[in-house]
Amino acid sequence: MTTPDQYASVRYIVDDVGAAVGFYTTHLGFVLKAGAGPAFAEVVRGPLRLLLSGPASSGARATPEGATVAGRNRIHLVVDDLDAEIGRLRDAGLSLPGDVVDGPGGRQILLTDPAGNLVELFQPAHRPDAP
C-alpha cells in the first residue's frame, strides 16, 4: 500500500470538485483515491498526488483573499506522443488554448482544468545518446 509520504503532492483550488475529478480521471489518467463530498478530493497518477480543494475546504479557506485566480504554476505530465494526446483531448471536446512549443528538451502544450489551473503535457526530445 502506498502512503501519502511516497507521493509528491500539489494542491489545486477548484470551483467544482466533481468537475475537476472528472477532468483529471477521464482525460489525464488520474485515479480517485479519496473524496469528501463537494469540498475535497484526492486523485493520483503515478507518484503525483493532486489535492483538489473546493471553496468549502480548509485548503481553500487558508488561501489569501486576493489569490482567487489560477496562477501560472502548473503540473507537468510527461507523455509518449504529444500529437496523439492533443488529438485525443480535442476529440473529447477539450480546448487547448495555445500552440505546441518546441524546445531543446522537447515539445509541450498547455491545457486548463475546469477551474482554470494549467496542466502541461510534455514530450521529451529524443536523444540518441540517452540510455
Side-chain angles (χ1 to χ4, degrees):
M1 180 170 152
T2 305
T3 60
D5 63 333
Q6 294 174 298
Y7 294 115
S9 296
V10 174
R11 181 183 309 277
Y12 270 173
I13 307 301
V14 299
D15 301 321
D16 181 331
V17 172
V21 168
F23 175 83
Y24 286 100
T25 60
T26 301
H27 302 297
L28 298 177
F30 283 78
V31 175
L32 178 65
K33 293 301 258 185
F40 173 82
E42 172 187 348
V43 294
V44 173
R45 176 181 164 170
L48 175 58
R49 176 177 171 241
L50 186 56
L51 308 172
L52 302 169
S53 297
S57 71
S58 60
R61 291 192 318 266
T63 304
E65 187 70 30
T68 58
V69 179
R72 293 176 47 175
N73 297 317
R74 56 194 175 248
I75 60 173
H76 171 98
L77 302 176
V78 176
V79 299
D80 293 326
D81 185 339
L82 185 62
D83 295 321
E85 288 297 312
I86 291 169
R88 184 181 66 78
L89 294 168
R90 286 191 173 137
D91 287 348
L94 299 180
S95 173
L96 290 87
D99 295 321
V100 172
V101 175
D102 292 298
R107 303 169 63 228
Q108 63 192 24
I109 195 165
L110 299 178
L111 69 146
T112 55
D113 75 6
N117 294 301
L118 293 172
V119 176
E120 178 182 324
L121 301 178
F122 178 80
Q123 179 182 345
H126 174 69
R127 297 181 188 241
D129 57 342

